[in-house]
Amino acid sequence: MPNHEIYMQRAIELAELGKGSVSPNPMVGAVVVHNEKIIGEGWHAKYGEPHAEPRAILDVLNSFSNGEELLRQSTLYVTLEPCSHHGKTPPCADLIVKYQIPKVVIACRDPFEKVDGQGIAKLKGAGIEVIEGILAQEAAFMNRRFLTRVKQHRPYIILKWAQTANGYFAPKDQAQQWISGMAAKMLSHRWRSEEDAVLVGTNTARIDNPQLNVRDWKGRNPKRIVIDKNLSLSQELHLFDRQAETIVFNAKKTEWNNSLKYIALENFDLYLPQNILFQLHLMDIQSLIIEGGVKTLQLFIDAGLWDEARVFKAPIYWENGIKAPELKNIPQKEEQIGKDILTTYFNN
């Protein structure tokens, strides 16, 4: 009996290589197995480019002179149901049928309305054996950003902040004061490279003057988002340096000027988090890190609009200050990052 979990785990590892490059598509990995040996691998590497399945099939064809014959005797493992519609690339299900791969093992179905079972139906209709549900939870967790966008029609939201060992977030006078260490800073920049956008509020933009880029990590910069109701922020701030796309949610004007986009929200103070997320969903932003101050973080916490929280706790103590947000959720993970402790929470 083949060990489906081993091959699917490899497909998940391959899928992860697309993190930060495939949004708003899902991350997908695929392996081709012949006589208990992997003979082809592929993953979706960049939005608009070939999907995992054709890359894995091409890997077989390029590696073996009798590749087509081997495919007719192989099993394809894929982390997500093969697509059945024409998008930026042809349907993967059609390619699988073309090369007569006799068995396809899938981790989980694609809930996107143009796929959702239709890829599987096309495979079965061609006489291909389909096995579903292998490492489904692991594959769904990996694609939690995509699944949140499709099912909840909003970006996947990650809250991130640092606090002292006794729970303080910032000095009482709101002056800028760094809490976590360099290792935490580098990790934060890596996270930015993996997500679509990062958001701050007016006070954080004014006091910290953040660049919100990945200068301490190799990768692409996220979109920058700031909440500035009355457009009071100085244009001299780093956020307005045109080095990355910047979106300003406000109550005054809607105006798009190349990489700088102003979006006015009606009834600004009414359902603000919901309205922001709706606009971002329309802009195909699949994931969002919120790095704002306590007010901004609490706004989304109170609305229940967050999926994951990453909290750095530094080994320092302050006598007073502004208290950090408190989550009632049970911590899911703790790890040492330099001198700091990183605690991860999930809102489920």
Side-chain angles (χ1 to χ4, degrees):
M1 289 287 291
N3 193 330
H4 294 316
E5 286 79 10
I6 290 177
Y7 302 123
M8 190 61 75
Q9 183 59 49
R10 177 56 182 166
I12 290 173
E13 291 170 0
L14 291 169
E16 291 272 10
L17 297 176
K19 184 180 289 185
S21 301
V22 302
S23 177
N25 282 353
M27 294 181 285
V28 183
V31 297
V32 179
V33 176
H34 181 266
N35 289 339
E36 302 303 308
K37 180 182 178 181
I38 294 176
I39 61 171
E41 296 186 334
W43 65 93
H44 186 28
K46 189 175 182 180
Y47 177 69
E49 293 186 359
H51 292 180
E53 300 95 322
R55 285 184 179 272
I57 290 170
L58 184 61
D59 190 25
V60 174
L61 297 176
N62 287 339
S63 301
F64 301 93
S65 59
N66 62 334
E68 291 193 25
E69 180 184 349
L70 290 175
L71 288 170
R72 290 193 293 269
Q73 304 165 9
S74 296
T75 299
L76 174 69
Y77 291 80
V78 61
T79 56
L80 191 69
E81 176 182 4
C83 62
S84 55
H85 67 292
H86 284 270
K88 291 198 176 284
T89 60
C92 295
D94 287 356
L95 193 67
I96 296 168
V97 171
K98 174 184 175 182
Y99 284 101
Q100 302 175 47
I101 299 173
K103 182 184 293 186
V104 178
V105 181
I106 298 168
C108 52
R109 291 200 176 198
D110 186 340
F112 183 54
E113 61 181 0
K114 290 185 178 180
V115 184
D116 199 8
Q118 296 178 54
I120 291 172
K122 182 173 285 190
L123 296 178
K124 288 183 176 180
I128 295 171
E129 180 184 354
V130 177
I131 298 174
E132 297 182 60
I134 303 300
L135 297 187
Q137 287 187 326
E138 291 84 347
F141 179 77
M142 174 193 65
N143 262 327
R144 59 196 183 277
R145 299 160 181 83
F146 171 75
L147 296 176
T148 297
R149 181 176 75 89
V150 173
K151 293 181 177 181
Q152 300 188 43
H153 308 289
R154 65 163 175 82
Y156 184 85
I157 303 165
I158 300 168
L159 309 178
K160 176 256 170 183
W161 74 83
Q163 64 185 53
T164 66
N166 55 339
Y168 289 113
F169 181 93
K172 276 193 172 179
D173 61 3
Q174 295 191 331
Q176 184 181 23
Q177 187 165 341
W178 197 263
I179 294 176
S180 53
M182 181 53 67
K185 182 179 181 182
M186 289 182 65
L187 182 56
S188 296
H189 285 204
R190 192 193 88 184
W191 290 340
R192 289 176 184 172
S193 76
E194 296 172 346
E195 311 302 339
D196 288 351
V198 56
L199 179 147
V200 296
T202 308
N203 288 338
T204 297
R206 180 182 293 116
I207 295 167
D208 294 349
N209 190 18
Q211 298 180 57
L212 301 183
N213 59 20
V214 296
R215 59 195 179 278
D216 290 325
W217 190 263
K218 184 178 180 181
R220 62 106 180 95
N221 291 320
K223 292 178 173 63
R224 304 180 294 194
I225 302 170
V226 60
I227 303 172
D228 183 17
K229 179 180 179 178
N230 297 311
L231 298 179
S232 61
L233 292 173
S234 167
Q235 293 293 302
E236 300 302 313
L237 293 173
H238 291 310
L239 285 174
F240 303 105
D241 61 12
R242 308 299 177 99
Q243 296 301 305
E245 183 177 337
T246 301
I247 301 166
V248 184
F249 285 108
N250 67 92
K252 300 286 188 179
K253 69 176 182 179
T254 295
E255 180 181 295
W256 290 43
N257 185 4
N258 296 321
S259 62
L260 182 58
K261 299 176 171 65
Y262 292 91
I263 299 178
L265 300 175
E266 293 185 14
N267 302 315
F268 187 88
D269 295 314
L270 188 64
Y271 300 114
L272 180 58
Q274 291 87 342
N275 288 330
I276 288 174
L277 297 180
F278 175 70
Q279 292 295 327
L280 296 182
H281 175 70
L282 294 178
M283 298 171 76
D284 271 342
I285 291 176
Q286 186 163 263
S287 60
L288 173 67
I289 303 177
I290 298 178
E291 295 189 14
V294 170
K295 181 180 178 181
T296 301
L297 289 163
Q298 200 65 52
L299 190 68
F300 285 84
I301 292 171
D302 290 345
L305 289 171
W306 65 279
D307 300 287
E308 189 173 335
R310 302 169 181 175
V311 182
F312 290 106
K313 185 178 290 185
I316 57 175
Y317 291 82
W318 291 355
E319 290 186 3
N320 53 50
I322 298 172
K323 278 288 189 179
E326 293 186 11
L327 299 174
K328 297 179 181 179
N329 306 66
I330 298 172
Q332 297 297 307
K333 184 179 179 182
E334 282 196 353
E335 55 189 312
Q336 191 84 32
I337 307 295
K339 294 183 179 180
D340 306 313
I341 299 294
L342 170 63
T343 304
T344 303
Y345 302 81
F346 291 99
N347 188 22
N348 49 28

